């Protein structure tokens, strides 16, 4: 069993329900899986033998599609943030030996300047089905801050993360129709349960942009206006 299979099973049961919301856009589970399938074939065509694939951390529905497409192809995702200093990005790229990244089309030049080949997440490819050559046991690689030295990559495997999802399903409130806030940065491990628990249970994932993430008042208004049921916040953000 792999993480993406949990999402795909949920999508088949809830295909007409809202899956992901960002600003004034939303997509259903059926649309989500269609976009994932299309992008997955583009990944397999261009980066067939690669294990690690970068993913832009720019907050968008395409970010979620990209993560799922990487996992569908049996590969491992590595978050890359355009707001990071170039030196830090170069350290991550060199240490992981990643060669490809998924990003919005407008970010192509930024990532190409770092020596990466890019696959746009906001394009339609319409490619024939391509078989998955292997399945990595690793879901993602998250790098430490490097505050005590060189950043180190931490590999998170499918087995442990599936156990976490299943525990949340059995002991939390996640279920079809429940609205979960996607607040955490993609490079933090809490982002995993924010994203995958709702998608594996038929819930709706609400992604907030930095205007809400970095302003407590705006964030509280967003939570109220969108009737958010489930969220994970750092302690500093709840000191209203």
């Amino acid at each position: 069993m792999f993480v993406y299979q949990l999402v795909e099973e949920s999508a088949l049961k809830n295909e007409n329900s809202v899956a992901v919301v960002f600003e004034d856009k939303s997509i259903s589970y059926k649309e989500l899986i269609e976009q994932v399938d299309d992008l997955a074939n583009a990944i397999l065509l261009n980066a067939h033998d690669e294990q690690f694939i970068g993913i832009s951390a720019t907050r968008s529905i395409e970010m979620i599609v990209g993560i799922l497409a990487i996992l569908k192809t049996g590969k491992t995702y590595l978050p890359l943030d355009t707001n990071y200093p170039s030196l830090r990005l170069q350290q991550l790229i060199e240490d992981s030996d990643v060669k490809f990244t998924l990003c919005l089309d407008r970010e192509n030049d930024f990532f190409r300047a770092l020596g990466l080949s890019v696959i746009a997440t906001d394009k339609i490819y319409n490619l024939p089905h391509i078989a998955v050559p292997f399945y990595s046991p690793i879901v993602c690689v998250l790098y430490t801050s490097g505050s005590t030295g060189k950043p180190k990559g931490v590999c998170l495997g499918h087995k442990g993360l599936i156990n976490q999802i299943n525990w949340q399903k059995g002991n939390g409130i996640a279920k079809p129709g429940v609205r979960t806030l996607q607040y955490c940065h993609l490079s933090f491990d809490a982002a995993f349960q924010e994203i995958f628990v709702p998608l594996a249970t038929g819930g709706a994932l609400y992604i907030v942009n930095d205007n809400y993430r970095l302003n407590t008042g705006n964030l509280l208004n967003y939570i109220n206006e969108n009737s958010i049921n489930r969220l994970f916040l750092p302690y500093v953000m709840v000191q209203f």
Side-chain angles (χ1 to χ4, degrees):
M1 175 67 73
F2 295 92
V3 168
Y4 179 72
Q5 290 175 288
L6 296 179
V7 177
E8 200 164 47
E9 289 175 2
S10 170
L12 290 173
K13 298 174 184 176
N14 302 280
E15 61 178 17
N16 294 318
S17 299
V18 172
V20 188
V21 178
F22 179 67
E23 296 181 342
D24 59 349
K25 293 174 57 180
S26 68
I27 59 172
S28 67
Y29 275 94
K30 185 175 185 293
E31 292 168 326
L32 176 64
I33 296 304
E34 288 173 348
Q35 291 182 31
V36 168
D37 288 347
D38 185 63
L39 184 57
N41 285 322
I43 296 171
L44 290 169
L45 178 66
N46 291 279
H48 188 266
D49 298 323
E50 300 298 319
Q51 177 179 356
F52 300 100
I53 304 291
I55 176 75
S56 170
T58 299
R59 306 176 72 78
S60 63
I61 291 176
E62 289 79 12
M63 180 186 77
I64 305 301
V65 172
I67 293 169
L68 294 175
I70 292 170
L71 296 184
K72 183 177 177 65
T73 62
K75 303 181 187 300
T76 300
Y77 72 84
L78 167 64
L80 299 172
D81 191 335
T82 58
N83 292 315
Y84 281 174
S86 59
L87 177 60
R88 175 170 171 79
L89 286 172
Q90 288 289 359
Q91 288 176 327
L92 270 57
I93 291 167
E94 291 171 8
D95 188 70
S96 65
D97 196 31
V98 67
K99 297 180 177 63
F100 288 82
T101 194
L102 307 186
C103 63
L104 297 168
D105 190 57
R106 68 172 186 265
E107 300 174 312
N108 284 359
D109 291 345
F110 177 89
F111 285 107
R112 286 197 179 107
L114 294 169
L116 295 172
S117 297
V118 300
I119 302 171
T121 54
D122 50 352
K123 290 178 63 176
I124 298 174
Y125 293 93
N126 288 325
L127 295 168
H129 173 72
I130 301 173
V132 175
F134 61 86
Y135 285 92
S136 170
I138 304 168
V139 174
C140 58
V141 179
L142 306 181
Y143 273 81
T144 61
S145 65
S147 57
T148 58
K150 184 179 179 181
K152 299 175 180 63
V154 179
C155 298
L156 304 183
H158 281 272
K159 185 175 181 179
L161 294 176
I162 286 174
N163 286 341
Q164 183 188 44
I165 292 172
N166 287 333
W167 188 92
Q168 290 277 356
K169 288 169 68 174
N171 296 275
I173 67 168
K175 62 182 180 180
V178 168
R179 300 181 175 192
T180 296
L181 187 74
Q182 204 288 292
Y183 171 87
C184 292
H185 190 282
L186 193 58
S187 63
F188 289 98
D189 56 1
F192 179 88
Q193 62 178 340
E194 282 184 337
I195 294 170
F196 287 98
V197 173
L199 294 182
T201 55
L205 183 65
Y206 280 68
I207 307 170
V208 288
N209 63 34
D210 285 342
N211 290 332
Y212 296 105
R213 287 185 69 246
L214 305 179
N215 184 293
T216 303
N218 289 344
L219 181 62
L220 180 59
N221 288 336
Y222 183 92
I223 292 168
N224 289 330
E225 290 170 1
N226 292 279
S227 302
I228 299 299
N229 310 113
R230 184 175 172 275
L231 70 163
F232 297 85
L233 295 177
Y235 179 70
V236 67
M237 290 303 293
V238 296
Q239 297 183 73
F240 298 122

